[in-house]
C-alpha cells in the first residue's frame, strides 16, 4: 500500500538580495509539479500580525513592464511596503492570467483589443472569469510561522479565501497603485464584475 502524495510540499530557502532590500526566497511545489515561491523580509514571533501580499504571476506586467494591468505596479509597491514596515511576506503564485495560462492570456488580450473586457474575453475562451486557487497559501504561511496577517489587496475574495483556510486576517490594506490610461478600463471591469475595491475617483 503506497502512501498518499502530499498536495503541496516545501522545498528549500535561500538568500535573495533585491534592489528593494535583502529577502529570503522559499520554494514550494504542488503534487502536479506547479511551483510557487514566497519572499520573506525581517523577523517576527509566531502570533505577530505580519503584512503580506498574495500576488499571482503576471509575466507581462511583472517582468515585461506592461501597463495593460496593474500587476507589475502592485508587485513593486508590495515589496516597498514590506521593506518600509521592516517585515512581511509576499506569496508569489504561479497562476498566470487568473489561472488560464500565459498563451491563453495573450489570446484574451487579442479579444480585448477587439472590444471585449477581461471577463468577457476569458469566458469567450471557455474559462471562468477567475480560476485561481489560494489553498497553498496556508502551507506557505505555516512554513514561515505566520498565523495572523494584514493583507495587502483590493480583492476581498483573497481575504475570504485565507480566512476559510484558518488564517486570521486582522486587516485588509488597499494597494491602489499604477492606474494608467491603458489599464483604467481593466480596473473598472475588475471593480464591477470581479468585486475588487478601488477608490471611485480613480475612474473619473
Amino acid at each position: 500500500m503506497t502512501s498518499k502524495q502530499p498536495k503541496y510540499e516545501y522545498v528549500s530557502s535561500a538568500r535573495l538580495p533585491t534592489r528593494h532590500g535583502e529577502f529570503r526566497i522559499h520554494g514550494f511545489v504542488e503534487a502536479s509539479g506547479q511551483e510557487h515561491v514566497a519572499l520573506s523580509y525581517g523577523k517576527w514571533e509566531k502570533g505577530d500580525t505580519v503584512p503580506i501580499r498574495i500576488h499571482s504571476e503576471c509575466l507581462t506586467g511583472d517582468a515585461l513592464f506592461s501597463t495593460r494591468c496593474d500587476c507589475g505596479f502592485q508587485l513593486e509597491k508590495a515589496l516597498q511596503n514590506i521593506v518600509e514596515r521592516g517585515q512581511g511576506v509576499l506569496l508569489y503564485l504561479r497562476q498566470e492570467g487568473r489561472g488560464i495560462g500565459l498563451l491563453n492570456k495573450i489570446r484574451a488580450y487579442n479579444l480585448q483589443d477587439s472590444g471585449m473586457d477581461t471577463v468577457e474575453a476569458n469566458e469567450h475562451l471557455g474559462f471562468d472569469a477567475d480560476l485561481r486557487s489560494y489553498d497553498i497559501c496556508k502551507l506557505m504561511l505555516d512554513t514561515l510561522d505566520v498565523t495572523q496577517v494584514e493583507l495587502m489587496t483590493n480583492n476581498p475574495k483573497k481575504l475570504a479565501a485565507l480566512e476559510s483556510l484558518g488564517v486570521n486576517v486582522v486587516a485588509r490594506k488597499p494597494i491602489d497603485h499604477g492606474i494608467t490610461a491603458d489599464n483604467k478600463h481593466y480596473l473598472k471591469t475588475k471593480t464591477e464584475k470581479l468585486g475588487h475595491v478601488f477608490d471611485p475617483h480613480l475612474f473619473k
Side-chain angles (χ1 to χ4, degrees), residues 24-58:
R24 285 192 66 79
I25 187 167
H26 314 271
F28 300 82
V29 63
E30 299 183 38
S32 66
Q34 183 63 284
E35 299 169 340
H36 309 275
V37 299
L39 271 62
S40 64
Y41 184 88
K43 297 180 179 179
W44 51 85
E45 299 293 329
K46 193 165 186 176
D48 288 350
T49 298
V50 179
I52 75 163
R53 163 78 180 163
I54 302 172
H55 191 89
S56 295
E57 179 182 41
C58 175

Side-chain angles (χ1 to χ4, degrees), residues 3 6 9 21 39 45 52 57 68 80-81 100 102 136 144 149 154 163-166 169-170 185 190-191 193-194 203:
S3 59
E9 181 182 356
L39 271 62
E45 299 293 329
I52 75 163
E57 179 182 41
R68 291 189 71 133
Q80 291 168 9
N81 288 348
I100 68 174
L102 177 60
I136 195 173
L144 299 174
V149 305
N154 301 320
E163 289 184 332
S164 72
L165 294 168
V169 183
V170 300
H185 179 66
K190 288 208 298 185
T191 300
K193 294 189 176 183
L194 296 172
F203 305 118

Side-chain angles (χ1 to χ4, degrees), residues 11-201:
V11 178
S12 189
S13 300
R15 188 174 67 91
L16 187 73
T18 77
R19 66 174 177 266
H20 299 290
E22 184 164 307
F23 289 77
R24 285 192 66 79
I25 187 167
H26 314 271
F28 300 82
V29 63
E30 299 183 38
S32 66
Q34 183 63 284
E35 299 169 340
H36 309 275
V37 299
L39 271 62
S40 64
Y41 184 88
K43 297 180 179 179
W44 51 85
E45 299 293 329
K46 193 165 186 176
D48 288 350
T49 298
V50 179
I52 75 163
R53 163 78 180 163
I54 302 172
H55 191 89
S56 295
E57 179 182 41
C58 175
L59 177 71
T60 49
D62 297 343
L64 301 178
F65 315 110
S66 169
T67 57
R68 291 189 71 133
C69 62
D70 57 339
C71 302
F73 298 109
Q74 289 190 337
L75 177 61
E76 289 274 334
K77 188 64 173 177
L79 294 175
Q80 291 168 9
N81 288 348
I82 287 169
V83 171
E84 288 171 5
R85 289 285 297 273
Q87 61 176 198
V89 174
L90 184 134
L91 306 181
Y92 195 89
L93 306 185
R94 305 289 302 282
Q95 40 191 11
E96 182 83 43
R98 295 198 302 277
I100 68 174
L102 177 60
L103 298 186
N104 280 321
K105 185 174 81 168
I106 295 171
R107 293 185 179 99
Y109 276 173
N110 177 263
L111 294 171
Q112 291 169 46
D113 288 343
S114 301
M116 292 186 185
D117 65 35
T118 182
V119 171
E120 293 167 344
N122 278 26
E123 292 176 344
H124 184 83
L125 291 171
F127 301 106
D128 290 339
D130 193 339
L131 292 171
R132 291 176 295 179
S133 168
Y134 303 105
D135 290 354
I136 195 173
C137 294
K138 181 67 165 62
L139 169 68
M140 298 169 96
L141 293 172
D142 285 349
T143 301
L144 299 174
D145 284 332
V146 176
T147 57
Q148 186 163 283
V149 305
E150 179 185 281
L151 182 62
M152 289 181 275
T153 188
N154 301 320
N155 184 358
K157 292 179 180 177
K158 289 182 180 179
L159 187 152
L162 285 186
E163 289 184 332
S164 72
L165 294 168
V167 179
N168 183 14
V169 183
V170 300
R172 181 189 70 82
K173 295 293 184 181
I175 188 165
D176 295 337
H177 194 71
I179 311 300
T180 71
D182 292 314
N183 68 27
K184 187 173 285 191
H185 179 66
Y186 164 77
L187 298 179
K188 191 169 187 289
T189 299
K190 288 208 298 185
T191 300
E192 294 175 347
K193 294 189 176 183
L194 296 172
H196 291 224
V197 180
F198 289 95
D199 189 330
H201 86 270

